[in-house]
Structure formats: C-alpha cells, structure tokens
Amino acid sequence: MDILTAIEILVKSMLFASAPLIFTALGGVISERSGVVNIGLEGLMVIGAFSAVVFNITFASAFGAATPWVALLIAMGIGGLFSLIHAVASITFRADHVVSGVAINFLALGLGVYLVKAWYGAGQTAKIPEPLYYQRIPLLYDIPVIGPILFNNYVTSYLAIFVAVLVWFLLFKTPFGLRLRSVGEHPLAADTMGINVYKMRYIAVVLSGVMGGLGGGVYAQTITQDFSASTITGQGFIALAAVIFGKWHPLGAMGAALFFGLAQSLAIIGSSFPFLADVPNWILLSAPYILTILALAGFIGRADAPKAVGTPYIKGKR
Amino acid sequence: MFSRTQTILIPVISVVLGLLIGAVVMLVSGYNPIEGYSALLRGSLGDSFYIGETIRQITPYIFAGLAVAFAFRTGLFNIGVEGQLLVGWIASVWVGLAFDLPKIIHLPMAVLAGAIAGALWAFIPGLLKAKLRVHEVIVTIMMNYIALHLVNYLVRYVISDQQNTTSRVPESASLKSPFFEALTEFSTMHYGIFLALAGAIIYYVILEKTSTGFELRSVGFNQNASQYAGMNVNRNIILSMVISGAFAGLGGAMEGLGTFGYAFIHGAFSGVGFDGIAVALLGGNVAIGVVLAAALFGILKQGALIMPLQSGVPTELVEIVIAIIIFFVASSYIIAYLLQRFKKGAQ
C-alpha cells in the first residue's frame, strides 16, 4: 500500500469514527462546565440513536433524502427531553450526579430496546432506508492530493468540527458562556452576582442531552445503520474520556475525540498497516482509556475539573 | 441526616414506585401489567428449577453489591466493579485450567486468584486517588474498558487457541454442585451462594467489628478529622479499593467457576457490575441490605427472562424498573422531604 492511500484511509476513518464522539463530548463539556457531572452521555447517545433510527424507518417515505437530517433534529429534541430527568434528579432533587447518570444509562438502554421489541417484535430494527452518505464537496474536492482526502467525507464530520468552534465561542466569548462557567466554578459567587444557578445548570444539562442525542443519531445513521442493544457500546464513555483528555475545553475535547476516533479505527484497520501489525489490538482499543488515565494522573499535562463539578448547589447554604 | 425509619422506608418506597412505573410502561405499550408481573414471579420463584436459577443469579449480585458498598462506606465510588469482575473471572478460570491439583487446594486457589486479580485491578485507581488525588470514578470507568479489551485478548490469544471461549475448568476447580442440580431439576445453581453469604458476613465483620473497618468508615465520613486523629487516609483509601475489588473479583470467580465454568469473549459488559451499584444503593450499603437488594434484583432479572414467553412483555422492562428505583433512591432527599411534609400535614 502506498503512503498516500494509507493516509487517505486513516484520515477518512478518523473523521468518520470521531464525529459522533465530538458532538457528544461537546455536550459533556457544556454540562461539566456548569458543574453537573454527566456519566449519562452513553445513555443520551443510546436514546439519540434509537430516536433517529425509529424516525428514519418510519418517515423515510415522507421525507425522502431529507430523512436523516430531520431524524437528527428529532434525536436532538428527544435527547434534550431525556436529559431533563438527569437535570431534575441532580439539580433539583440533589441526587448524586454519578448515580443519576448511571440510572440514565440503564434507563436509555432499557427503554430503547424495550420499545424496539414492543414495536418491531425483535431485538434489532431493520436497516434504515435513508442513511447518511459520503459527499464530495464541489471545487474543494478537485484540489490535488488533499482534495480527495479531506473533502470526500460525511457532512456530519465537518459539522462536528464547526459545532466545536461554535461551542468554544459560546462558552468563552459570550456573556452566556461566562455565566455558565461561573456557575460551575463557584455557584455561590455566581448566585450573589444575580445569576440563576439552577436555570444555568438546567440549560447546560439539556444542551448536553441535545448534543448527546445528536452524537447518537449521527453514529446510528453513519456507522451501524440500525438500532439494537449493541449499537452504542461505550462510545458515550469514550466521549466522556475526550472531555477530560481535552481538559474540559471544547476545542481540546474535539482534538481528543479526533484522536480517539483515530485509535478506534486503527484497532479495526490497523492490521493492514505493517508498522502496526505487531501491536496487539487490545492496546489500540484501550488507548483512549489508558491515555485518559495518564492525563488525569498528570503524566500528560494537568487536567483540572471545574471547581464545583459534582456538587449540588443548595441556595442559602455556605 | 435520615432517621432509622426513613432509611428503611426510602428503599421500600423506591421499589414500589419503580414497580408501579414499570406497570404504567407496560399499560401504555399495550401489555397487561398483572400478567407481566405474575409471569415474572413464576419465572423466578415458580418452581424449583427457577428458584435454583434465581439463586445462581443472586450470587454474583451479592458480591458486586458488597464491592460497590464497601467503597461507598469509605467515601469512594467504585464504578469499576464491572472490570474488576471480568479480571477476577478470567484469573479464576486461568488458574482452574493451568493447574492439576486435588480439589481441596485447587478450588480455593482458583477462587482466591479471582479475588486477587480484582483487588489488583482496583489497586490502580486506589493508588491514583491516594497519591495524586485523581478522581476514582473516571479512572474506574476507564479501567472497565481496558479490562474488557484485555480479557477478550487473553481469552482469544493466550488461554485458548484463537477460540471465542476457553475450555471448561476441571472438576477440581469447579463450584458446580451435583446436589443442588439434582434438587432444582438441573438448574445452574452452584455452591457459590454460600461463599456470597460468607462474603456478606465478612463484610459486616470487617466494617463493624474491626479497628480497620472503623478507620475506613471514619475516612468515609471525614477525611480531615481522620487525618487529625492520626489515621493514614491514603493507606485507607487504597485498602478500601483493594477490598472492594477483591469482592468484585470473587463475583467474577463465581461466574467463571460456577455459572459458566469457562471464560468467553464479551461483546459488551455483563452488566453485573453496574447492577451492583443499584444493589448497594438500594441496600443502604449494609451487609443485610445488600443481600436483600441482591435477592430482589436477582428475582427481577431472572423472572424477566420468562416474561416475553409467557406475557409478551420484553425482558428490558426490568432494566427500566431498576433505573427508576436507582433514581428514587438517589433522589432520597426529595422522598425524605415529602415524608416530612406528609407527617406535618397529618399532625
């Protein structure tokens, strides 16, 4: 295999595998920046994948080629609604964020598979009739060498990178973002300054649901193209790892997700590369997790969480 | 924070609410909840075969629940039980296959190997927490996935010759019980349940009756005060994770030496470790509570397998019920608040 083909395969599979991770990790960044731990990202992806697939199967004849895009909007909406459960439990009912997130994961998988069985009579849906496809970007595709590599991918991959920049702008360049971050660093001070801590946290958690739903919808409509109990198996946790490896920064999380996407695709196609053939594939599969632990331990730069992450805010209590 | 009656009342209310919401889910999706739940009961306690299967299901739940609960009592959240259970599983099977010894030595050695492997897997997050203040939740989640991929690799390339399962462990390392099998119309019930109950007693003794247990609990209540009283907080954090991991590894050994008798490639997690979180929470992190909660979840999980055949209700209904129970137990603040309002209203 010549070097150019190798690079093309690598870049494409990286973009392909990491788009859902980027969306979901951005959701995680927003939620954790507001002070709410979201272990439920996995569950939010599950519910997004489920909604997108069911919508795609049911309404493909009505929406035609636009179906996968409408399905993504639906997945975002339902993801947002679903995350309200986590918001109510962890913000209003002061439940342990981690426990509530674990429950979200249980509930999403249980509910998704339950409904699939109730509606379709089997544990797995049919293939979706209208998946997302590779698209060549006109003009840019014709650039020699880099054109075919960079500009013949899923539109969702470009969208993911664009949204990452958007979230960075939202969090770091707008008053809204400043408020959201302040609530995660020092809720009492934020409250004193007239910021509604509960409202900001609710918005952040729902946004994380929207992004997690989007990530799940993208994953199901590009990679698996159906829904079953084994559609989302750990992608939400890889996204969570990307949040931390990216140091709770939208662009960092994007970079981490790209890197983890690369590691994931290397584990699958790595054996066709001579220099990777001798690496046992469990190491490639585990790379995101091992690296995250090393990052947390301070071996790869210091990763510090937002100060108030994981603690419920109780008004009037110091 | 909560009174004694509340600590009993909150789990009971949570379970009742969980089952009620499960019934609503069945109604809304066009099933008969009474038929569903009675099928569940028949499928878990209906005859001696099902009872045997249910007890077999309860066995790893007790260990997983004890593992999560033990860490909780020291103020640590061990989400890594799933991974510790997997490495315990593979280690016990490996020792079972690698040696040829009389049963009286072989079986304890294989069981112990499971405990040690689980303990080692939990030692890493414990060490990182104690020395570098790295949050154990994230590390244990990551360790789960590393365990999953590592164990699959070991099964495929090291213990077996590119197979999806290992060979069966020999009689001398097996927990299988011809006596129980005959008693329960050849269910997969094995001797592990005795080990699980013994584990619950050991849990109680360590935490409530030894000075080590006192220190562990004390660190869980207040690290600063414990430090000030001359306790070694870091040592206790590591010790707590190691003991918690050992319980988890024992749960894996039960699966490896009892239920299955071999190890196999997991496409995804068994779920036992995550269910252990629910068991520990519902059981209030005390030994007797964990055993009771494990029994409840064992009944639900086992009965769920029969539900689709007898009432058409998908198995996953039970996942929904368990999730809702966790939500309510976790949100105990609001239940306690409502109970208080209710009492005030009555006066």
Side-chain angles (χ1 to χ4, degrees):
Chain A
M1 188 183 338
D2 70 292
I3 188 82
L4 215 59
T5 326
I7 291 176
E8 183 173 345
I9 293 174
L10 272 183
V11 170
K12 282 187 148 177
S13 49
M14 175 178 80
L15 287 172
F16 167 72
S18 57
L21 302 179
I22 297 176
F23 286 123
T24 311
L26 290 172
V29 169
I30 296 172
S31 170
E32 303 233 340
R33 278 284 179 174
S34 83
V36 181
V37 175
N38 202 342
I39 302 278
L41 289 176
E42 174 91 358
L44 296 169
M45 281 188 87
V46 170
I47 219 69
F50 165 78
S51 323
V53 166
V54 169
F55 182 86
N56 198 311
I57 289 173
T58 316
F59 292 100
S61 51
F63 290 95
T67 313
W69 300 102
V70 186
L72 286 182
L73 289 178
I74 299 288
M76 290 164 79
I78 295 184
L81 280 178
F82 200 74
S83 65
L84 266 179
I85 305 174
H86 182 50
V88 171
S90 59
I91 302 168
T92 308
F93 291 174
R94 298 175 203 169
D96 186 302
H97 296 181
V98 177
V99 174
S100 166
V102 169
I104 283 278
N105 292 338
F106 271 111
L107 188 62
L109 193 59
L111 199 62
V113 180
Y114 177 89
L115 290 177
V116 163
K117 283 186 179 171
W119 292 341
Y120 301 103
Q124 190 169 15
T125 66
K127 286 275 169 201
I128 51 172
E130 291 282 348
L132 291 162
Y133 294 107
Y134 276 122
Q135 268 172 349
R136 287 182 184 181
I137 297 193
L139 291 176
L140 290 173
Y141 179 77
D142 299 326
I143 302 173
V145 186
I146 61 162
I149 297 176
L150 289 179
F151 299 108
N152 182 19
N153 288 296
Y154 288 103
V155 177
T156 43
S157 302
Y158 307 121
L159 197 64
I161 293 166
F162 173 73
V163 172
V165 177
L166 200 70
V167 170
W168 165 77
F169 185 82
L170 183 76
L171 283 183
F172 288 93
K173 299 289 163 192
T174 66
F176 170 81
L178 182 65
R179 286 182 197 134
L180 192 140
R181 285 182 294 126
S182 72
V183 159
E185 291 291 336
H186 202 313
L188 184 62
D191 198 5
T192 319
M193 299 301 290
I195 298 168
N196 187 336
V197 176
Y198 298 120
K199 193 175 108 187
M200 290 312 293
R201 287 190 168 179
Y202 262 89
I203 293 173
V205 173
V206 169
L207 279 179
S208 82
V210 169
M211 299 297 288
L214 177 59
V218 170
Y219 191 86
Q221 294 190 97
T222 55
I223 299 177
T224 60
Q225 311 202 351
D226 63 7
F227 181 82
S228 71
S230 56
T231 297
I232 304 289
T233 49
Q235 281 74 25
F237 287 112
I238 299 186
L240 182 70
V243 172
I244 297 157
F245 197 64
K247 296 175 182 161
W248 289 270
H249 191 284
L251 299 180
M254 179 191 78
L258 280 170
F259 181 62
F260 292 168
L262 180 69
Q264 291 255 299
S265 45
L266 274 181
I268 297 162
I269 59 171
S271 53
S272 51
F273 294 100
F275 59 97
L276 282 172
D278 293 334
V279 181
N281 87 330
W282 77 270
I283 291 186
L284 290 171
L285 284 168
S286 308
Y289 313 112
I290 297 173
L291 286 168
T292 303
I293 293 177
L294 292 178
L296 277 170
F299 296 125
I300 312 175
R302 185 94 200 115
D304 283 316
K307 283 272 174 340
V309 79
T311 45
Y313 178 62
I314 304 169
K315 211 174 166 69
K317 189 183 170 193
R318 292 206 293 159
Chain B
M1 187 169 159
F2 299 135
S3 69
R4 205 179 168 77
T5 39
Q6 276 180 354
T7 52
I8 298 170
L9 217 51
I10 287 171
V12 172
I13 291 176
S14 302
V15 170
V16 171
L17 286 175
L19 290 172
L20 275 179
I21 293 178
V24 173
V25 171
M26 282 193 265
L27 262 182
V28 172
S29 50
Y31 300 108
N32 182 339
I34 298 172
E35 268 181 29
Y37 280 138
S38 49
L40 188 148
L41 276 180
R42 275 198 303 278
S44 54
L45 304 169
D47 65 27
S48 64
F49 173 81
Y50 289 133
I51 292 176
E53 289 292 321
T54 302
I55 292 175
R56 190 262 306 151
Q57 182 75 41
I58 292 170
T59 307
Y61 276 171
I62 293 179
F63 276 120
L66 290 175
V68 179
F70 198 92
F72 263 139
R73 292 292 287 273
T74 316
L76 299 165
F77 200 155
N78 183 3
I79 298 204
V81 171
E82 190 73 49
Q84 292 143 19
L85 189 139
L86 278 177
V87 294
W89 184 334
I90 192 90
S92 65
V93 169
W94 203 345
V95 169
L97 290 171
F99 298 93
D100 188 18
L101 295 163
K103 186 157 192 165
I104 194 139
I105 308 171
H106 201 182
L107 180 58
M109 210 167 95
V111 170
L112 205 63
I116 292 172
L120 282 177
W121 207 251
F123 171 75
I124 301 172
L127 183 74
L128 289 175
K129 169 87 176 183
K131 297 291 174 198
L132 298 165
R133 299 284 139 213
V134 183
H135 206 299
E136 74 281 4
V137 165
I138 306 292
V139 179
T140 49
I141 289 175
M142 303 297 140
M143 295 288 289
N144 280 343
Y145 283 94
I146 300 173
L148 182 69
H149 296 307
L150 176 64
V151 164
N152 285 350
Y153 176 81
L154 289 176
V155 168
R156 194 163 183 83
Y157 296 106
V158 180
I159 303 180
S160 82
D161 189 19
Q162 307 226 3
Q163 302 293 309
N164 289 331
T165 63
T166 67
S167 331
R168 282 186 171 277
V169 292
E171 203 339 82
S172 61
S174 175
L175 279 169
K176 287 210 180 300
S177 155
F179 171 70
F180 281 142
E181 283 173 12
L183 201 66
T184 58
E185 296 169 55
F186 300 99
S187 76
T188 49
M189 184 178 171
H190 53 82
Y191 287 124
I193 186 68
F194 294 120
L195 293 176
L197 293 174
I201 294 170
I202 292 170
Y203 174 96
Y204 170 79
V205 171
I206 295 179
L207 273 182
E208 314 286 346
K209 300 287 169 200
T210 66
S211 56
T212 311
F214 177 78
E215 281 200 18
L216 290 170
R217 284 184 290 135
S218 156
V219 169
F221 280 125
N222 190 332
Q223 288 198 3
N224 294 331
S226 309
Q227 178 109 42
Y228 197 64
M231 297 172 190
N232 186 336
V233 172
N234 287 345
R235 197 188 70 97
N236 279 304
I237 286 174
I238 297 176
L239 184 65
S240 169
M241 282 305 285
V242 165
I243 296 176
S244 167
F247 277 123
L250 284 171
M254 297 305 106
E255 300 288 76
L257 304 173
T259 309
F260 292 93
Y262 55 89
F264 53 88
I265 290 188
H266 279 77
F269 290 119
S270 65
V272 174
F274 291 119
D275 289 339
I277 300 170
V279 170
L281 283 170
L282 188 63
N285 302 324
V286 295
I288 179 75
V290 166
V291 172
L292 290 176
L296 176 75
F297 285 148
I299 289 169
L300 288 176
K301 281 276 183 167
Q302 191 54 43
L305 299 177
I306 306 301
M307 273 170 49
L309 299 172
Q310 295 204 352
S311 62
V313 180
T315 314
E316 283 69 23
L317 179 86
V318 162
E319 308 289 327
I320 300 174
V321 171
I322 291 180
I324 292 164
I325 294 176
I326 307 178
F327 270 121
F328 282 117
V329 176
S331 308
S332 52
Y333 154 76
I334 200 74
I335 297 184
Y337 175 78
L338 289 176
L339 279 176
Q340 220 161 13
R341 286 292 289 268
F342 186 69
K343 260 187 207 158
K344 268 187 196 155
Q347 274 168 4

